[in-house]
Amino acid sequence: MAQILVVGVGSMGFNHARVCSELGVLAGVCDKDEDAIERVSKKFNTAGFTDLKEAVNSLDIDGLIISTPTFTHLEVAKLAIENGIDVLVEKPIADSYENGKKMIEMAKNSDVKLSVGHIERFNPVIEGAKKLLNSDELGEIITISSRRVSNFPGRIRDVGVILDLGIHDIDNSISIMQSKPVSVYATGGSHNDIEFEDHVSIMIKFENNKSAVLEVNWITPMKVRTLSLTCEKGFMELDYMKQSITISESKFVEPDSRSQFPPKIEFGKREVHIEKQEPLFLEIKNFVQVIDNNDIPSVPGEDGLLALKVAEAAVQSLKTGEVIILD
């Protein structure tokens, strides 16, 4: 079975190490913070390193998970790729579209598998929604809307709410709509005294002339993670945290007589059974399968790059007040 090195053991990296340990694939952890490495390596009874090159040279690893600050992603990925090690890099794939593109090219040239950690792709509600859409039970999607809001997380220092939260729903909207995004418009700003934006509404127009409207912020006191799909034959509501799907439908009922007005409408609401599972567990399990079976990643580098392209366009639109056309 694959052996994986987790690089970066902050909030997300700790959980990567936890799940890798549970799966029996954790070879070691690496972070520049000596105290953090001592704590995490002891917690999971694994090798700990503060120097990445030393870790790569000392361990016999097949995969490397990058959970470091975004601006370091390319540098860490480069070292792994040069050593023929498959990579799972946390979202966003890189700190810029150009650096993300470089990462993908390096991986292709070295025949290394590159996965991007868009964790919400692995939330069981997304798989459930896609199955319903593929069955044509609800017909064609008309619009997508999402809300991903919470209070400010002190752990985020290098990006704004678009690249931290919004990119989840950007990626899922593209994946669900199955159409190329062609333009982006964003409005919002910074309510708190921080360098980056902390509240934004993003509108994405797709090549099929449908749209997605995404709300993200670090202002709301409670945590909300929802996605709604307006379809031809019904309305689907997804709750990422509860891992639930609710479908609402309506139909006209034939009147008993011509004089019956207004016509009667029957409304129905039903819950779709979803087997609850931890998305991160499913994400890392997929990465292990990519390594062991030479499978194609569920979220390849190209998907991460497209999500980053749209997110960067949203940031640009927020700054300029203009609709950004994607080439």
Side-chain angles (χ1 to χ4, degrees):
M1 185 175 281
Q3 288 296 291
I4 296 171
L5 171 67
V6 175
V7 184
V9 292
S11 176
M12 198 66 200
F14 177 89
N15 283 300
H16 277 293
R18 172 183 58 80
V19 173
C20 284
S21 179
E22 291 170 2
L23 288 169
V25 298
L26 183 63
V29 290
C30 181
D31 196 296
K32 290 181 178 180
D33 186 328
E34 293 183 5
D35 291 338
I37 278 298
E38 183 178 0
R39 183 178 67 255
V40 176
S41 61
K42 283 184 178 179
K43 172 75 175 176
F44 300 113
N45 191 29
T46 192
F49 300 85
T50 56
D51 183 87
L52 180 56
K53 288 183 180 179
E54 181 187 352
V56 170
N57 291 332
S58 300
L59 300 172
D60 183 15
I61 55 173
D62 314 287
L64 186 146
I65 295 176
I66 302 173
S67 188
T68 56
T70 309
F71 70 90
T72 68
H73 285 185
L74 180 61
E75 178 187 358
V76 177
K78 183 174 183 290
L79 180 62
I81 291 166
E82 287 175 345
N83 284 274
I85 300 167
D86 291 332
V87 173
L88 167 59
V89 57
E90 261 300 332
K91 59 82 194 166
I93 185 173
D95 58 345
S96 70
Y97 180 84
E98 287 305 316
N99 281 342
K101 195 173 179 181
K102 286 178 185 176
M103 193 186 299
I104 291 170
E105 289 172 353
M106 284 191 297
K108 282 184 177 179
N109 292 337
S110 299
D111 196 26
V112 163
K113 292 288 195 302
L114 176 62
S115 305
V116 185
H118 282 283
I119 189 172
E120 292 289 32
R121 281 272 205 110
F122 296 89
N123 193 306
V125 296
I126 293 298
E127 183 66 25
K130 286 180 176 179
K131 284 181 180 178
L132 285 164
L133 293 169
N134 290 336
S135 73
D136 201 37
E137 184 179 336
L138 298 178
E140 188 177 330
I141 298 176
I142 306 301
T143 60
I144 295 175
S145 62
S146 71
R147 174 170 287 173
R148 186 174 294 271
V149 300
S150 57
N151 54 22
F152 181 66
R155 63 182 177 83
I156 303 298
R157 294 184 177 88
D158 61 338
V159 295
V161 73
I162 293 174
L163 284 165
D164 179 51
L165 295 186
I167 200 164
H168 284 297
D169 298 305
I170 289 170
D171 175 65
N172 270 342
S173 294
I174 296 169
S175 178
I176 289 170
M177 191 63 82
Q178 290 291 293
S179 182
K180 179 183 175 183
V182 294
S183 68
V184 182
Y185 177 72
T187 181
S190 179
H191 174 74
N192 295 300
D193 186 21
I194 60 173
E195 180 182 355
F196 301 99
E197 80 285 344
D198 61 13
H199 65 99
V200 183
S201 294
I202 304 167
M203 176 176 281
I204 305 170
K205 184 178 179 182
F206 294 90
E207 198 169 46
N208 63 3
N209 212 31
K210 304 298 171 54
S211 62
V213 179
L214 321 176
E215 179 190 359
V216 292
N217 77 46
W218 283 330
I219 298 173
T220 308
M222 70 290 189
K223 189 175 182 179
V224 178
R225 304 284 188 267
T226 59
L227 180 74
S228 301
L229 308 175
T230 300
C231 304
E232 288 179 304
K233 305 173 189 176
F235 182 67
M236 193 189 312
E237 297 171 277
L238 285 63
D239 190 308
Y240 288 103
M241 293 190 298
K242 294 178 182 177
Q243 293 193 4
S244 66
I245 296 179
T246 303
I247 294 178
S248 299
E249 297 164 296
S250 63
K251 65 178 181 180
F252 287 102
V253 179
E254 287 294 328
D256 296 330
S257 67
R258 292 182 180 180
S259 62
Q260 183 177 325
F261 186 83
K264 186 178 179 182
I265 301 175
E266 284 187 353
F267 294 94
K269 183 176 279 193
R270 57 190 171 93
E271 299 292 324
V272 177
H273 174 70
I274 297 294
E275 184 179 345
K276 292 180 169 63
Q277 296 185 76
E278 183 184 6
L280 186 62
F281 178 87
L282 298 176
E283 177 183 279
I284 294 177
K285 186 178 178 181
N286 176 253
F287 184 47
V288 172
Q289 290 170 343
V290 166
I291 297 168
D292 287 345
N293 305 327
N294 199 30
D295 288 351
I296 296 172
S298 291
V299 187
E302 290 79 3
D303 286 14
L305 188 65
L306 181 56
L308 178 57
K309 183 178 185 178
V310 174
E312 287 188 338
V315 173
Q316 184 183 353
S317 176
L318 184 62
K319 290 177 179 178
T320 63
E322 298 176 352
V323 174
I324 306 301
I325 306 300
L326 302 172
D327 52 22

